[in-house]
Amino acid sequence: MARAFKGMIWTALMLVLPGMAQALCDVTYRAQAGDTLISIAAAHYEDQDQWTLIYYANQAKLADNQQDVAAGAELYIPCPATSVVPDATPLLQSGAEMTLLTGGNHAPVTDQDWPGNGLVTELLNAALELSPAPVPYEVIWVDDWMQHLFPLLDEQRYDMGFPWVKPDCGASGGGQDLSEFPLFRAGSRSADHAVQAGGQRADVQE
């Protein structure tokens, strides 16, 4: 009941004072034609990068995990945590020795047109920034995915490629050697970086 009442207030404010509606959250919003997660986040939070809050709150309702939202769809708009500050990425540097290969046109996972360059890119940045032995890195974008395995990763031009389809670890009864999958393959370049970062070279097992 309280949420529905807030929704009625939000609708009235959108018609009378659109600027005031930007401060409202914890409401249900009925999507309009042309709406995207980014445009809705910009309207409600004044920050398009907060689109992930809406995405995760309504993931089951969003078809194909795309930015476009069907007109008439009812989306819950959660309130952002005021104490949370987006993580900076000071280790993401052009020309860094450790290089990671990815490609675009793979929304919402990796795409340079999406905030944060996609969900997995954001996750990777956060993981590397919080590493106990962080090292500078660069993310290289090659949109021709057919080039990733051969020749780019096969010739060890980059330390790692992401994202790739998760292997079926249960197919072989467990203990599958993941080194055959490019995402987990430890070439000489990536192994050297692991040693420099205080890690140990080891076979990757499930």
Side-chain angles (χ1 to χ4, degrees):
M1 177 67 70
R3 183 176 298 172
F5 182 69
K6 290 180 181 179
M8 293 173 61
I9 296 177
W10 182 90
T11 302
L13 289 175
M14 281 294 292
L15 294 174
V16 181
L17 298 171
M20 291 183 62
Q22 295 172 346
L24 288 180
C25 57
D26 192 26
V27 298
T28 297
Y29 169 69
R30 186 181 297 275
Q32 307 300 310
D35 274 347
T36 65
L37 294 179
I38 289 178
S39 67
I40 296 172
H44 283 266
Y45 304 131
E46 296 185 338
D47 182 0
Q48 68 175 19
D49 289 346
Q50 297 278 16
W51 66 269
T52 52
L53 293 177
I54 304 172
Y55 174 82
Y56 284 117
N58 302 275
Q59 191 170 359
K61 300 179 181 179
L62 300 174
D64 301 323
N65 294 335
Q66 296 300 312
Q67 273 283 351
D68 293 335
V69 179
E74 293 188 348
L75 302 179
Y76 173 62
I77 310 298
C79 292
T82 57
S83 61
V84 176
V85 178
D87 291 331
T89 55
L91 296 176
L92 183 59
Q93 303 173 11
S94 177
E97 183 179 355
M98 185 168 75
T99 56
L100 309 177
L101 174 66
T102 191
N105 304 315
H106 194 22
V109 182
T110 54
D111 195 302
Q112 287 179 292
D113 291 333
W114 276 53
N117 293 329
L119 298 174
V120 170
T121 310
E122 286 189 301
L123 178 62
L124 179 137
N125 287 336
L128 291 177
E129 294 292 338
L130 295 174
S131 169
V135 295
Y137 66 98
E138 181 177 11
V139 175
I140 305 297
W141 293 80
V142 177
D143 289 344
D144 185 355
W145 289 88
M146 296 297 293
Q147 297 294 316
H148 284 210
L149 289 181
F150 302 98
L152 301 180
L153 290 173
D154 184 63
E155 295 179 356
Q156 298 182 349
R157 301 185 193 181
Y158 303 97
D159 294 297
M160 186 184 79
F162 75 93
W164 291 92
V165 175
K166 180 181 178 181
D168 185 0
C169 298
S172 60
Q176 184 176 2
D177 183 3
L178 300 184
S179 63
E180 63 186 280
F181 295 94
L183 180 59
F184 301 96
R185 179 179 297 161
S188 60
R189 283 169 51 87
S190 56
D192 290 343
H193 284 299
V195 172
Q196 293 171 6
Q200 296 180 347
R201 295 189 61 175
D203 293 334
V204 179
Q205 297 292 334
E206 183 189 17

